[in-house]
Amino acid sequence: MNNKGECTPQSIAVADEVAIEALLRKFTEDQLRRWLSELDLAQTIRLHPRRYYPIYLNLLSVFRNRLPLQQIKKISLECCKASIWSHRAIHYYFEQIPRWPSSDIHRMMKIGFDRHQIETVNSLLGLGKGLIIACSRMGLYSFIPADLALHGYKISVPILERKYRTFSKELDNLRSLDWPDEGAISRGKGSTRARNISLYEVLNIEAPGALFNMAQALRRGELVLMYIDGNGGLDGHWGDKSRRIVDFLGFKLTVKDGTARLACLTRTPILPLIAVSENGLGKAILGQPIIPGPKADASQEEQFIGHTTQQLYSFIERCALAYPEQWESSASLHRWRRQGVEAPEPAESNLEEVTLEIKKLLEQGRTLRINEQDGVIALPEKETEIWLDVKTLRSVKSPDWARDVFRALSSRSGLDLSWVKKNGAASEPWPLLARLKLRQLIAIS
């Protein structure tokens, strides 16, 4: 506890991540800010491993040849904190909006849409087909629909059922408030009022009529916001429906093409939009609008869907490289990656030669460590030691007899000759170390 009687990362003795997440949901905004400010890398790994490790392994897979390892870890820490914050921030926002003075609405909003961006939205709506806002879970993504509603745009957002219940209740409460007399709800053309939050509507994506409701909103000339990188849909993350292969950050991904498919079905333009925090201010980044042409034959329609999906992911790629510390959906990248042809296992004909090389280097005072800079990480498993190669997404599980060898290699101090002399007789590590070295899973420093 701190001097205010609040839980702090240092005061949590038992790292029960489920209980910790439940605790954070009860925090006020100031309490959550203090919690995050006190989280260092070690505490984040201890208390939030299921948030941190997916982010870290995927950022490592992207940046291992671009950035030093410590910088990747720092970025992963900031991204993990952003993920924790985002899950509560919009709910704090909903609580604050009714208290905003009417003269300060623009200053209070999180995202600074400039005049040109508002004109772009109005111009695309002027085509008479509604508008699909295509977003990514990055930066200030949770505030985009709220701030567009505050600007006077009727906007619908499909979300999962478990989130739908909370959001719909909070938005219904906002609609029922006795708002100050600032005129009626003003729709469109950038007319900004606090009570316009009533224009924000959520849809249960798991409900049978979800697609119909989105199409109807577009036919009424409204906005529909879709998360490009949600990759869920009715059949979940692992379903095979409406999938497409795209190039992304050097990988082949299998992703959902629902945003492009809805645009094709309704002939609705798409506006790629990502909002990030830059120097403490919210910044909206618009991609090139995508406007479907006249209805064509099936093969041309499929070509449009494929090209559009690739264009949307290319937009995310540019933003992810520019703001990796805000790229929360990086936690899911490994789910979308397509497995390539596996490299053959290295020949063991020179195992003895490698063994002699390792012995010689250790005798010279060198140290063996897990090859983390090249993308090999130790996963947080309690019962065994599992390493993951983020380049191939192949894992290596330590034999029971070699668990201490793996732990030494993945420890901060690594494995040196003194460790071998102390522990080697029991574990006979030389053949194992040679095989790990042949597979480039360990490195010498």
Side-chain angles (χ1 to χ4, degrees):
M1 299 283 183
N2 60 16
N3 55 14
K4 296 183 180 181
E6 298 171 347
C7 286
T8 65
Q10 293 76 17
S11 69
I12 303 292
V14 180
D16 182 340
E17 192 165 10
V18 174
I20 290 168
E21 292 283 342
L23 173 68
L24 298 187
R25 285 195 290 272
K26 299 177 182 178
F27 276 11
T28 64
E29 181 175 1
D30 288 342
Q31 287 174 328
L32 186 55
R33 287 187 185 278
R34 282 193 289 272
W35 174 274
L36 294 174
S37 70
E38 294 178 23
L39 273 182
D40 59 16
L41 181 59
Q43 293 287 18
T44 300
I45 291 173
R46 184 176 75 91
L47 300 175
H48 300 282
R50 283 186 288 183
R51 284 192 185 273
Y52 174 80
Y53 275 102
I55 291 171
Y56 175 54
L57 75 87
N58 285 312
L59 290 181
L60 182 62
S61 72
V62 171
F63 293 105
R64 62 187 177 82
N65 293 326
R66 308 178 194 221
L67 298 173
L69 186 60
Q70 290 307 310
Q71 188 174 351
I72 297 172
K73 289 183 176 182
K74 182 179 179 182
I75 291 171
S76 300
L77 171 61
E78 294 307 311
C79 193
C80 182
K81 288 184 179 183
S83 173
I84 296 169
W85 173 251
S86 291
H87 277 68
R88 290 299 307 152
I90 187 61
H91 304 289
Y92 299 141
Y93 201 51
F94 287 157
E95 294 171 1
Q96 296 161 4
I97 289 172
R99 302 195 294 269
W100 290 355
S102 57
S103 58
D104 277 350
I105 302 300
H106 279 284
R107 186 177 65 84
M108 303 298 290
M109 290 183 352
K110 289 290 185 184
I111 303 169
F113 291 103
D114 61 34
R115 185 178 65 180
H116 171 71
Q117 290 169 336
I118 293 297
E119 288 174 352
T120 299
V121 173
N122 291 335
S123 174
L124 293 169
L125 283 173
L127 299 175
K129 297 289 187 177
L131 179 61
I132 297 172
I133 303 293
C135 297
S136 168
R137 286 180 168 79
M138 183 185 304
L140 304 175
Y141 69 91
S142 62
F143 297 99
I144 292 174
D147 281 8
L148 285 171
L150 291 168
H151 272 291
Y153 299 103
K154 183 74 167 68
I155 184 165
S156 299
V157 184
I159 58 177
L160 295 174
E161 184 173 4
R162 58 184 172 81
K163 294 184 178 181
Y164 170 79
R165 291 190 292 269
T166 300
F167 270 83
S168 59
K169 181 178 180 180
E170 291 180 341
L171 290 169
D172 285 345
N173 288 340
L174 286 169
R175 292 186 188 96
S176 68
L177 293 178
D178 185 15
W179 291 89
D181 185 12
E182 53 179 14
I185 291 175
S186 181
R187 295 177 60 170
K189 303 300 182 184
S191 303
T192 310
R193 288 174 171 79
R195 69 187 304 163
N196 284 350
I197 194 64
S198 301
L199 297 172
Y200 182 175
E201 183 176 352
V202 289
L203 304 174
N204 180 1
I205 190 61
E206 298 175 61
L211 179 61
F212 174 79
N213 290 333
M214 285 187 275
Q216 287 294 98
L218 294 172
R219 290 190 181 99
R220 292 193 298 267
E222 299 168 3
L223 306 183
V224 169
L225 184 144
M226 299 185 72
Y227 292 108
I228 312 163
D229 50 7
N231 287 322
L234 294 176
D235 60 342
H237 289 288
W238 309 111
D240 294 326
K241 294 181 180 178
S242 301
R243 289 204 174 271
R244 191 78 47 170
I245 297 172
V246 297
D247 294 310
F248 184 78
L249 290 168
F251 299 112
K252 294 287 186 183
L253 306 188
T254 304
V255 302
K256 294 283 191 173
D257 60 12
T259 301
R261 199 167 287 279
L262 178 62
C264 189
L265 174 69
T266 58
R267 318 316 295 177
T268 301
I270 300 173
L271 180 62
L273 193 164
I274 285 174
V276 296
S277 179
E278 191 171 86
N279 300 320
L281 300 174
K283 172 184 174 181
I285 303 171
L286 301 189
Q288 183 68 31
I290 302 167
I291 303 174
K295 193 167 182 61
D297 62 41
S299 63
Q300 289 177 308
E301 299 281 73
E302 286 298 315
Q303 186 177 5
F304 167 82
I305 292 169
H307 178 77
T308 297
T309 303
Q310 179 62 68
Q311 187 173 336
L312 293 174
Y313 271 84
S314 296
F315 174 65
I316 298 176
E317 178 180 87
R318 293 193 296 273
C319 295
L321 290 173
Y323 302 94
E325 74 285 352
Q326 300 184 50
W327 180 28
E328 292 178 39
S329 63
S330 63
S332 299
L333 180 62
H334 61 287
R335 293 181 180 176
W336 314 329
R337 281 173 53 183
R338 286 177 62 84
Q339 298 301 308
V341 178
E342 292 189 357
E345 291 289 339
E348 295 191 359
S349 56
N350 57 345
L351 197 63
E352 185 175 346
E353 180 182 335
V354 175
T355 300
L356 291 173
E357 178 192 358
I358 290 174
K359 288 181 178 179
K360 182 178 178 180
L361 289 168
L362 292 185
E363 287 168 358
Q364 294 173 353
R366 308 286 288 277
T367 302
L368 297 174
R369 289 186 173 87
I370 187 172
N371 195 2
E372 195 166 1
Q373 180 65 64
D374 198 38
V376 184
I377 66 170
L379 297 179
E381 300 291 336
K382 294 180 179 179
E383 302 301 324
T384 187
E385 289 293 306
I386 297 179
W387 291 2
L388 178 72
D389 186 340
V390 301
K391 302 185 296 298
T392 62
L393 295 181
R394 292 178 64 185
S395 61
V396 178
K397 180 179 178 181
S398 71
D400 289 342
W401 64 266
R403 192 176 302 164
D404 290 341
V405 178
F406 274 66
R407 286 177 178 167
L409 290 165
S410 58
S411 69
R412 181 174 296 182
S413 56
L415 186 152
D416 58 14
L417 188 59
S418 64
W419 188 95
V420 176
K421 289 179 178 178
K422 182 179 179 181
N423 303 278
S427 59
E428 299 181 358
W430 299 116
L432 172 65
L433 293 174
R435 289 187 177 92
L436 294 175
K437 178 71 167 57
L438 279 171
R439 294 176 62 179
Q440 301 181 6
L441 297 175
I442 59 175
I444 299 171
S445 59

